[in-house]
Amino acid sequence: MTMTMTNLHDHVGAEVAGVNLSHPVDDTSFADIEQAFYEKSVLVFRGQDLSPDAHIGFSRRFGPLEVHILHQYQLDGHPEVLVLSNKTDAEGKAIGLVDAGRYWHTDVSFTETPSMGSFLYAVEIPPKGGDTLFASQFAAYDALPKEWKSRLGGLKALHGLNKTTAPKFTDAQLALVKGVAHPLIRTHPKTGRRALYGGVFVDKILDVSDTESDDILSFLRKHWAREDFVYRHRWQVGDLVMWDNRSILHHATPFDGQYIRHMHRTTVEGEKPV
Ligand code: OGA
Ligand code: MN
């Protein structure tokens, strides 16, 4: 099989074909996949048949895996796999996270070292709805007017959990989240490119007046997910989609709850944004 890559959008995403992820990928192909991932921010592999072990094995080549704080939704016997699902068990209790984030976010940016990459595999998919949107934050940075680039350079934002984002966490889990300052512009450690780093967990901009913070945030909230930065992924069963949280904001979209959407996710540890 020859591996090919096809761009999915001007700024973000490539589809990788000719790779069977149920077997270990050879080192040369892996190096190409890794490079493309850091440059394109989102990679899509269609038609995969991934056991939890194969999913974990592939993800782990990018770095150590995280075990999500929502431990009630770990896959039995595979704590590294988080279940996203609207299925329920015999008692009617959710077996997975039903809503993984219907707002623009980058995963767990309210922690000191937010996740690097998330690897989401589609097991069951509704006939319509439930797409995932990905906005390139390389493109969002590049498109900033010059005066905004200099205005934002050096500023930090406070990321935390707030009224929009907290409801799915328990009080004990919330108590662990203190809020953390991250630069608004970060440099990608592998490519050296600058990316805007914001999203729904940003509560305010630090070391400026409240008025200035509001002013900056109202600009950024319109800017960071501008339509021309966005790739919409329409899921098929067997898709593995991986995204680089350092250069992407993403957004889950709703679907009709009479259908099942069932996915497995692994998550690779990240570093402190700089
Ligand atoms: C996630 C997430 C989007 C989706 O798993 O972090 O945001 O569409 N998922 O399920
Ligand atoms: Mn997410």
Side-chain angles (χ1 to χ4, degrees):
M1 255 190 315
T2 319
M3 185 170 84
T4 59
M5 298 202 195
T6 313
N7 286 343
L8 293 166
H9 182 278
D10 284 349
H11 299 299
V12 52
E15 180 174 341
V16 186
V19 185
N20 179 352
L21 296 177
S22 64
H23 302 293
V25 175
D26 66 81
D27 288 345
T28 315
S29 306
F30 184 76
D32 290 345
I33 291 172
E34 206 180 2
Q35 193 58 32
F37 179 50
Y38 301 139
E39 283 168 10
K40 300 292 173 186
S41 309
V42 176
L43 293 183
V44 173
F45 300 80
R46 302 263 192 200
Q48 301 296 320
D49 183 7
L50 268 192
S51 65
D53 284 329
H55 187 175
I56 290 169
F58 177 64
S59 320
R60 195 170 262 155
R61 290 178 75 176
F62 291 83
L65 299 188
E66 288 175 5
V67 171
H68 202 276
I69 60 170
L70 292 174
H71 49 83
Q72 65 271 39
Y73 301 141
Q74 292 163 8
L75 187 66
D76 271 354
H78 298 280
E80 304 89 344
V81 177
L82 174 75
V83 178
L84 268 59
S85 184
N86 59 337
K87 285 189 190 176
T88 49
D89 65 14
E91 281 104 56
K93 242 180 44 217
I95 63 160
L97 193 56
V98 177
D99 167 5
R102 290 177 189 166
Y103 36 62
W104 288 107
H105 68 286
T106 170
D107 289 330
V108 296
S109 67
F110 48 83
T111 63
E112 291 284 345
T113 54
S115 316
M116 184 283 272
S118 301
F119 295 60
L120 190 57
Y121 174 62
V123 181
E124 261 183 86
I125 287 301
K128 60 176 193 299
D131 299 343
T132 308
L133 312 177
F134 295 98
S136 169
Q137 298 307 288
F138 288 146
Y141 173 77
D142 291 345
L144 283 172
K146 217 156 132 209
E147 61 278 14
W148 274 99
K149 280 187 181 150
S150 52
R151 188 171 177 191
L152 301 180
L155 286 182
K156 291 195 167 188
L158 182 68
H159 295 240
L161 289 175
N162 49 39
K163 284 198 178 55
T164 322
T165 52
K168 58 178 177 254
F169 294 89
T170 64
D171 288 345
Q173 287 161 340
L174 281 177
L176 297 173
V177 178
K178 301 273 179 283
V180 54
H182 292 310
L184 260 181
I185 312 282
R186 69 182 292 185
T187 304
H188 194 284
K190 301 285 183 178
T191 65
R193 272 185 85 178
R194 292 201 175 120
L196 197 57
Y197 193 65
V200 71
F201 301 120
V202 172
D203 289 320
K204 61 183 221 157
I205 310 299
L206 295 169
D207 300 324
V208 296
S209 67
D210 286 353
T211 322
E212 188 169 358
S213 170
D214 290 347
D215 185 39
I216 293 174
L217 281 176
S218 68
F219 168 77
L220 287 181
R221 289 187 180 119
K222 286 194 293 275
H223 178 81
W224 60 39
R226 227 171 66 181
E227 216 166 88
D228 53 320
F229 310 149
V230 175
Y231 162 66
R232 171 183 287 264
H233 187 69
R234 295 182 170 85
W235 290 92
Q236 296 169 9
V237 169
D239 287 354
L240 177 79
V241 176
M242 52 192 280
W243 62 87
D244 186 339
N245 280 299
R246 300 170 296 194
S247 55
I248 275 293
L249 288 180
H250 59 286
H251 191 307
T253 63
F255 58 95
D256 185 337
Q258 71 171 301
Y259 300 111
I260 297 295
R261 185 179 194 261
H262 187 84
M263 333 266 270
H264 285 174
R265 196 186 101 183
T266 55
T267 313
V268 173
E269 283 179 9
E271 61 278 300
K272 192 174 158 54
V274 286

